[in-house]
Amino acid sequence: MCTASFGIAEEAYKFRKNLITKEEFLLNSQILCIEVSVSALSSMLGHAIIPIPILGAVIGNTIGTFLYEISKDNLTMKEKLLMEDYLKEIQECGYFLENEFELHNHQLQREIKAYYKPL
């Protein structure tokens, strides 16, 4: 809990100084909380499985963190591909909407000119 608090405070400082964007602040804070949760949970499980003070928690934390890093790397590649596809879709929608906007804007300008002529 303390580790997450200090980490989020550091991210908030970076955000206030405009070193990172809002999205980066939120993403970094979420990742930090997940990593701290994995560490705490694996330490607790390690202590429950190996009831030797400190040793069980350290071994559990080491194993849990190691497994988390392996799974995070594998998921990161899939997430990057998913985000790239999503970004392409957003760009295509942006181009489509920009063209639609220009079309409607030109039509509106013509109608405004037609409206002002009789006035």
Side-chain angles (χ1 to χ4, degrees), residues 64-100:
T65 304
F66 178 72
L67 292 175
Y68 171 73
E69 290 296 325
I70 290 172
S71 64
K72 182 176 74 168
D73 292 340
N74 289 332
L75 289 177
T76 302
M77 291 188 307
K78 289 180 183 178
E79 290 170 347
K80 283 181 183 177
L81 293 174
L82 183 64
M83 288 190 308
E84 287 174 4
D85 290 342
Y86 184 64
L87 183 60
K88 286 178 187 176
E89 288 178 21
I90 289 174
Q91 288 174 342
E92 289 172 3
C93 287
Y95 294 136
F96 174 75
L97 290 175
E98 189 175 322
N99 291 334
E100 285 288 313

Side-chain angles (χ1 to χ4, degrees), residues 26-78:
L26 293 173
L27 181 64
N28 292 344
S29 297
Q30 290 172 353
I31 290 171
L32 181 65
C33 288
I34 290 172
E35 288 176 352
V36 169
S37 298
V38 166
S39 177
L41 182 63
S42 60
S43 294
M44 191 170 44
L45 289 174
H47 184 68
I49 293 171
I50 305 170
I52 300 171
I54 300 174
L55 181 65
V58 170
I59 291 173
N61 188 353
T62 304
I63 292 171
T65 304
F66 178 72
L67 292 175
Y68 171 73
E69 290 296 325
I70 290 172
S71 64
K72 182 176 74 168
D73 292 340
N74 289 332
L75 289 177
T76 302
M77 291 188 307
K78 289 180 183 178

Side-chain angles (χ1 to χ4, degrees), residues 105-119:
N105 191 27
H106 289 302
Q107 182 181 358
L108 180 64
Q109 293 298 325
R110 285 191 305 268
E111 290 179 11
I112 287 174
K113 287 179 184 177
Y115 173 76
Y116 279 125
K117 278 184 182 180
L119 290 177

